[in-house]
Amino acid sequence: MSLVLNDGERDRAGARLLALLDDHERGLPTSHLLPDLDRPRLTELLNTPMPDKGIGVDGLFDEIVDTVLPNSTAVAHPRFLAYVLGPPNGIAPYAEAVAATINQNCNFWQLSPAASVIERSVLAWLGDVVGFPSTAGGILTGGGSLATLTGLATALHDRAPDFRATGLQGGGAPLVVYTSEEAHRSVDKAAVVLGLGIDHVRHVPTDDRYRMRVDALAEAVAADRRAGLRPFCVVATSGTVTTGSVDPLDAIADLCEAEDLWLHVDGAYGALFLLAEEKRELLGGCARADSITLDPHKLLFASLEAGCLLVRDAAKLRAAFAFSSSYLTVADDPLMTDYMDHGLQLSRDFKAFKVWSALRAFGVDAFREATERCLDLARHLGERVEATPGLDLLAPVVLTAVCFRMRGVDHTEVLATLAAEGTALLGPALVDGHDGIRVCVTNHRTTKADVDLIVDRLRELGKSDDVAEGVLVS
Ligand SMILES: Cc1ncc(COP(=O)(O)O)c(C=O)c1O
C-alpha cells in the first residue's frame, strides 16, 4: 500500500478533518472538562496490535472520533482554569497542518530557509516585547522547562570558562545558582540535568507577597563566597507558578551586576503580560536579564509545544551550542540562522510557524486584548472571592492566578465536584502552608459569566452538603 493518499482519500481526509474541527469548536462549551473515561476501550486501544493491512482514512477517523476525542481532556473549554495552560488559538490547527506538510527541518538554513527567517522574525518580535537589544538571539523550544535548561547551560558556558572542555569535572569550587522558594521546579530540574546538583541550588526565602527577598539573596551569595563556593547565576521569576508573584527584577538585576552574576528570568507564565499596558512597569525589569524564558504556548495560545529562550547576547548562546561537524556542510547566510547552533536539537520542527501564523492572522492587538481580558477576569474573580463569605484570598492577585480557600470544606472534594458536574476544572493551591484552590485565567475563551458561574457554585457548595454527600469523582 502506498504511503501517499490518492485523490479520493485526500478528499475524505480533508472532509473528515474539517468536520472534526467544526464539531470540536461547536461542542466546546458543553464538552466534558474531564473525559468520562472509557477504560475498557482504552485498554483495548493499548492492546490492539498494529494492523498489517491499514484501516484506511475513514477507519482512522472513526477511531479518532469514537475513542481518542471522547477520552481527551477539554483544555479549550472556557472554564478550564487549572494549571497554566492556554487553549490553542483558532489558526493553530491549520498552521500545524501546513508545518507538517512542508516538514522543514529547522536546524540549518538550507533545510528550512523561509522557516529560518520566520523563526528569526518571531524571536525578534519577542525580543522587542521584552525590551532586549538587537544583539539578542534565541531559539524556540519544547516549552519553558527546556528554555530554562538551555538558558542555564548558556550561563554555565559564559561563567565557567572551561565548561566546554571539562564540564564540571575540571575541579574548582562548586558553582551555585540562586532562585526563590516559589520558583518552578524546572529550575531544580535544569540544575540537576546540568550536573550542578540540587545541593547547589539556593531557594531564597520570599516576602509576604511571595517575592524573592533581595536581602536574603545578597546574604546567601555572600555566605557562599565566604565558604569558597562559586555563585554564578540567579533565576528570578516574573510570574510564579502558584500565586503569580513577580520577583523584584530591578533590585535583583542591580545585585547581579554588582556581584557579576548571570541573571536568568523565568517568564514562562508571566513575562508575556508585558503585552498588557498595565503590567509594563511591574515587568519592565525583564529587559535587564541576560536570558529569559518565555512560553508562547501559554499567553500566545500557541498549540503545544512552543517555549522560547532569549539571550541578550546571541553570541553567548552560540558559544554554548555551536559545534562544527564534517557531515553538515553549511555555508553562512546573513539572512538566515542555523538554529542547531542555538540549542540542543539537531532535527527540529517548525514551531515558529504557528506562532508567526497567529500573529499575522490575528494581529498583535488581539493578543494584547486577550492578555488584558485574562487580567481583568482574574481581578474580577479576586474581588468576588473577597466579597463572598466563606472564601478567603490566600495571596494578592498580581497576574491571573487567584488562590483562595473555602472555610469548612475539603478542597480536594470541591475540586472533584466542580469537575464532575462540569462546572469548571480548577487546580489545587498550597500557599504558605495553607491548602486551597487555584484558578489561573490563561484562557482566551473565558468570559465574566464563566467566572461568576464558578463563584456562585462555590458559594452554594460552601453552604450545602453536596460535597459531603458525594457528588464526587476520586
Ligand atoms: C513559572 C513557570 N516556569 C516554568 C514552567 C514550565 O513550563 P513548561 O510547562 O512549558 O515546560 C511553568 C509552567 O507552568 C511556569 O509556570
Side-chain angles (χ1 to χ4, degrees):
M1 195 182 179
S2 157
L3 293 178
V4 177
L5 299 187
N6 63 32
D7 292 353
E9 287 168 331
R10 272 204 310 281
D11 282 349
R12 284 302 296 153
R16 295 289 305 259
L17 179 64
L18 288 183
L20 185 156
L21 293 177
D22 198 46
D23 287 351
H24 184 257
E25 181 64 39
R26 288 177 202 282
L28 263 183
T30 51
S31 59
H32 289 231
L33 280 146
L34 288 177
D36 207 359
L37 282 188
D38 183 348
R39 287 181 181 277
R41 183 68 197 102
L42 288 178
T43 307
E44 194 186 320
L45 183 73
L46 178 67
N47 295 328
T48 305
M50 295 305 162
D52 284 331
K53 304 275 178 240
I55 60 174
V57 167
D58 274 309
L60 173 67
F61 271 94
D62 288 345
E63 282 198 341
I64 295 170
V65 170
D66 295 344
T67 306
V68 180
L69 300 186
N71 288 291
S72 296
T73 303
V75 296
H77 187 291
R79 293 189 298 281
F80 185 102
L81 298 168
Y83 316 109
V84 192
L85 183 51
N89 60 64
I91 205 72
Y94 305 90
E96 295 268 31
V98 174
T101 305
I102 57 177
N103 204 33
Q104 298 295 280
N105 198 340
C106 301
N107 46 17
F108 55 95
W109 75 261
Q110 281 168 330
L111 297 187
S112 47
S116 175
V117 172
I118 285 176
E119 181 154 356
R120 200 170 157 185
S121 80
V122 165
L123 292 167
W125 178 76
L126 288 166
D128 275 353
V129 172
V130 167
F132 267 15
S134 58
T135 52
I139 187 163
L140 293 186
T141 65
S145 306
L146 283 175
T148 294
L149 175 69
T150 312
L152 288 194
T154 309
L156 271 173
H157 279 267
D158 191 57
R159 298 304 158 110
D162 293 331
F163 190 70
R164 173 163 291 207
T166 64
L168 296 176
Q169 323 252 42
L175 293 147
V176 186
V177 58
Y178 302 78
T179 194
S180 93
E181 284 172 340
E182 294 291 316
H184 194 266
R185 287 285 79 85
S186 52
V187 180
D188 291 349
K189 234 186 207 181
V192 170
V193 169
L194 290 168
L196 290 162
I198 207 82
D199 287 353
H200 302 113
V201 182
R202 303 279 176 260
H203 297 99
V204 176
T206 52
D207 64 14
D208 57 354
R209 297 168 75 86
Y210 309 104
R211 301 171 299 192
M212 191 193 288
R213 273 182 39 209
V214 184
D215 61 324
L217 172 63
E219 275 167 30
V221 171
D224 283 331
R225 288 207 199 282
R226 279 196 301 278
L229 305 182
R230 281 189 293 166
F232 82 103
C233 177
V234 176
V235 181
T237 309
S238 60
T240 57
V241 62
T242 302
T243 66
S245 60
V246 176
D247 286 339
L249 301 171
D250 268 316
I252 294 173
D254 288 345
L255 184 83
C256 287
E257 260 173 44
E259 293 285 341
D260 194 24
L261 302 172
W262 181 280
L263 173 58
H264 180 81
V265 171
D266 178 2
Y269 163 34
L272 285 175
F273 282 110
L274 276 162
L275 287 167
E277 177 79 47
E278 61 172 294
K279 294 298 172 193
R280 299 243 170 96
E281 200 180 323
L282 176 70
L283 297 167
C286 288
R288 296 184 60 191
D290 292 294
S291 55
I292 184 165
T293 291
L294 305 173
D295 238 354
H297 64 209
K298 295 186 167 63
L299 287 178
L300 295 182
F301 310 104
S303 45
L304 294 163
E305 305 158 348
C308 173
L309 172 74
L310 294 176
V311 179
R312 164 178 297 282
D313 180 352
K316 294 188 173 173
L317 185 58
R318 277 194 300 277
F321 289 101
F323 283 76
S324 64
S325 30
S326 56
Y327 45 85
L328 302 173
T329 47
V330 187
D332 276 345
D333 186 299
L335 183 60
M336 297 169 226
T337 304
D338 298 325
Y339 284 98
M340 66 184 179
D341 292 343
H342 286 205
L344 280 171
Q345 284 179 272
L346 179 56
S347 292
R348 295 177 68 237
D349 67 359
F350 190 5
K351 292 187 200 322
F353 190 61
K354 56 195 172 190
V355 180
W356 177 85
S357 298
L359 289 166
R360 302 293 299 171
F362 297 116
V364 177
D365 276 352
F367 290 95
R368 293 192 185 109
E369 284 159 21
T371 48
E372 279 159 11
R373 230 172 20 247
C374 291
L375 288 164
D376 282 347
L377 289 175
R379 206 167 13 243
H380 175 65
L381 173 59
E383 285 162 9
R384 287 231 40 204
V385 165
E386 279 189 305
T388 302
L391 300 187
D392 301 309
L393 271 184
L394 286 172
V397 180
V398 181
L399 298 175
T400 60
V402 183
C403 297
F404 56 92
R405 68 176 169 184
M406 290 175 72
R407 280 175 241 154
V409 300
D410 179 325
H411 292 113
T412 311
E413 292 186 347
V414 170
L415 290 173
T417 302
L418 293 175
E421 68 191 16
T423 302
L425 194 80
L426 313 180
L430 184 65
V431 182
D432 212 8
H434 300 289
D435 78 300
I437 291 176
R438 177 177 174 281
V439 180
C440 192
V441 191
T442 42
N443 189 332
H444 61 87
R445 293 174 179 270
T446 310
T447 64
K448 192 155 173 262
D450 291 313
V451 170
D452 286 336
L453 185 143
I454 294 167
V455 181
D456 292 345
R457 183 65 183 130
L458 287 171
R459 211 182 150 129
E460 273 170 30
L461 287 175
K463 284 194 261 172
S464 78
D465 293 333
D466 282 13
V467 174
E469 277 169 5
V471 194
L472 309 177
V473 289
S474 52

